Amino acid sequence: MTDETSSLIASSSKRKPAESVRSTLSWSHSLMNYTNDHSEITKAAYFLRDAVVVSRSASLISHTDYLISSQTTNSSSGRFSKWCRKALKSQLVTTVLSLCIVSLVFISFIEPPSWCRDFVTDDSSQPLGCKATLAMQGVPAFYSDDTEDEIQFYYPSIRIEYLSISQAYVLECMVTIFLLLHTFLCFGKDSFSLSHFFMLDFDASQVDSLTAKKVKNIRAFRIIRMITTILLVKGLITFPLDDSRPYAIFYRIFLFISYSEGVQRELLIAIKIIPSLFSAAVVLFMVIGTYGLIGVAAFYDTKEGTLHFSNWVEGIWSLWTSMTTVIYPDVMMAGYNENRFVALFFVTFMIFTFFFILNVMLAIVVNGYNTETEEEEKENDLARTNYMQLAFDILTDASGDDSVTQEQLMAIFLVLNEECDEIPRIRSKEADLLFAMLDQDGTEKLEVNEFMNITSVMLLEFEEVKELWIEKAYPQ
């Protein structure tokens, strides 16, 4: 909790009960009529919705497909559209969606791998199946009796293939059916309009840069979601005829990304960082190429040259793998056994690449990530302030006053409850408390400086404190 929010709570708690809220407004028909008669309430509510949305950090699984900024909101007044919004907002749907998305990815780890389902050996023309294939053992190609067992598994695995092919297929079908139902509800929320769902009628020139960027990203990931869903369903339909689905694991990953707002955020940041790595990558490949040429010339007609530097491409590949320490120092042992000075070639190469250039690239990634995160936070703060100021201006211009009344704020809360799935439902008692926290001077009106604190108090979570039986029995 920030110091600003703490001061708001302290200010509201010091006020006498009679002065806190003189006229408690409930969700009555009169308030609904007031909302319907004043169109500015809905516009201001959507701007406040945007301010609250950009104030929250991205969650791992995004349960709602919201449209940032009131300019992009396609309000559907039909009964079915409202029912779809309520269904998407329900705790049951959001929980099941999270389980389905995680299960879809997890299937890839507990089902038999696709590469071994039709595995055939030279001795048999019949497929062995994954269970028999993964159980095959023998002497490894590069066996060394002093460091490892003579008999080893040919295809090491972590042995978690708990589902059979048919069981994995049934589970994936169940998960896919729910995702199709969720997609149907998303379309229903937008009155089954493709232009609304994919925001094809969106005019980027009419909104701020943050909104335009968000809408562009949402549109792209929705397109990816629809394409991968179609491909996944196509594979499930044709599975009884052809059980080969080598790309199913990628479809599952793409679907997970399209639903996960947190993964989308990290992926977009990584894409922005890639150009800054170009210079360091060029230096790295120049060093590897140079050492590759030296290695081909220095180890010509030697055992080291035959094994690892037979040509320039082979030398680059040997140095690249040794830089990752996969074959280092084994890569230099043939030459080292003939001449100890061979170690200087490989040691200097590792110093330049592994200990210097790779650390420089890591530093570039860290600095780039921090820079992008800070810029995103600044952009969100600026957008949040802009949204709140626009909402305040809309309300004050309509009323002709320089402050927001309690009735206007209660009407906004009513719109947020009915129209905005992203905002937790605000109960009547909580609405009164929120207004009391904002109204620091007790004038029953919110000045601009008080109204600008609204996102801070709306992000608070309230819980009712029940009196214990011992406190009832012994009040003193």
Side-chain angles (χ1 to χ4, degrees), residues 191-475:
S191 300
F192 298 100
S193 173
L194 289 176
S195 61
H196 288 177
F197 183 77
F198 293 108
M199 291 167 282
L200 301 178
D201 52 357
F202 169 71
D203 187 3
S205 62
Q206 302 297 322
V207 296
D208 56 274
S209 59
L210 177 64
T211 301
K213 182 174 66 174
K214 291 287 187 180
V215 169
K216 181 180 179 181
N217 294 339
I218 293 174
R219 179 193 298 148
F221 284 112
R222 284 186 179 181
I223 293 174
I224 293 174
R225 182 188 307 175
M226 294 304 300
I227 294 176
T228 52
T229 301
I230 293 173
L231 293 174
L232 189 65
V233 172
K234 177 180 177 295
L236 292 174
I237 293 175
T238 59
F239 180 79
L241 302 176
D242 180 14
D243 61 357
S244 177
R245 301 171 59 213
Y247 304 109
I249 183 173
F250 300 105
Y251 300 154
R252 298 165 187 167
I253 294 175
F254 288 149
L255 268 179
F256 177 81
I257 294 175
S258 68
Y259 278 99
S260 175
E261 187 180 332
V263 175
Q264 293 172 18
R265 175 180 176 272
E266 302 301 328
L267 181 62
L268 293 174
I269 291 178
I271 293 175
K272 294 179 181 178
I273 296 175
I274 290 177
S276 61
L277 293 172
F278 181 76
S279 299
V282 170
V283 174
L284 175 63
F285 286 112
M286 288 178 61
V287 172
I288 295 176
T290 302
Y291 268 83
L293 288 174
I294 296 175
V296 171
F299 301 121
Y300 178 75
D301 200 20
T302 64
K303 185 178 181 180
E304 179 71 27
T306 303
L307 292 175
H308 304 292
F309 292 91
S310 57
N311 54 66
W312 187 49
V313 176
E314 182 68 22
I316 289 177
W317 177 252
S318 298
L319 292 171
W320 173 264
T321 51
S322 66
M323 182 186 65
T324 62
T325 68
V326 173
I327 60 173
Y328 182 84
D330 296 344
V331 66
M332 72 174 186
M333 295 310 298
Y336 182 77
N337 291 332
E338 297 179 358
N339 190 335
R340 294 295 189 262
F341 288 100
V342 170
L344 293 175
F345 174 83
F346 291 96
V347 170
T348 55
F349 172 78
M350 292 297 289
I351 292 175
F352 279 124
T353 58
F354 184 78
F355 291 103
F356 179 68
I357 300 179
L358 289 185
N359 283 302
V360 170
M361 297 180 73
L362 179 60
I364 292 174
V365 171
V366 173
N367 292 335
Y369 182 87
N370 292 335
T371 301
E372 292 293 337
T373 302
E374 292 175 359
E375 291 180 356
E376 183 179 290
E377 292 177 353
K378 292 179 180 178
E379 191 175 22
N380 288 341
D381 290 339
L382 181 61
R384 180 174 61 251
T385 303
N386 183 41
Y387 293 150
M388 289 189 294
Q389 185 64 52
L390 288 172
F392 183 83
D393 293 340
I394 289 174
L395 295 174
T396 54
D397 290 344
S399 62
D401 196 358
D402 58 352
S403 58
V404 176
T405 64
Q406 184 180 9
E407 187 176 21
Q408 287 177 314
L409 189 62
M410 295 300 161
I412 287 177
F413 290 156
L414 181 61
V415 173
L416 293 177
N417 285 342
E418 297 297 326
E419 301 292 338
C420 303
D421 308 335
E422 310 80 30
I423 308 299
R425 190 169 186 84
I426 303 172
R427 295 177 297 179
S428 178
K429 294 181 179 179
E430 294 176 356
D432 296 334
L433 180 59
L434 291 177
F435 184 84
M437 294 172 63
L438 292 171
D439 186 21
Q440 300 181 50
D441 54 8
T443 59
E444 302 300 331
K445 292 184 178 181
L446 301 181
E447 307 295 335
V448 62
N449 60 321
E450 296 172 331
F451 187 83
M452 298 301 284
N453 295 322
I454 190 169
T455 57
S456 299
V457 298
M458 287 184 65
L459 292 174
L460 296 175
E461 296 182 0
F462 299 95
E463 61 179 18
E464 185 177 355
V465 179
K466 297 183 179 180
E467 189 177 11
L468 301 176
W469 67 270
I470 192 170
E471 294 176 333
K472 296 180 180 179
Y474 305 98

Side-chain angles (χ1 to χ4, degrees), residues 53-102:
V53 167
V54 298
S55 299
R56 298 183 306 196
S57 59
S59 57
L60 178 61
I61 300 295
S62 178
H63 303 301
T64 53
D65 294 309
Y66 59 83
L67 305 178
I68 296 184
S69 177
S70 62
Q71 290 93 332
T72 65
T73 302
N74 303 298
S75 180
S76 302
S77 57
R79 289 185 178 181
F80 188 75
S81 298
K82 291 183 178 180
W83 182 86
C84 290
R85 285 199 297 270
K86 290 183 179 180
L88 291 171
K89 189 179 179 181
S90 66
Q91 185 65 33
L92 176 62
V93 173
T94 56
T95 302
V96 175
L97 178 62
S98 298
L99 292 175
C100 287
I101 295 301
V102 175

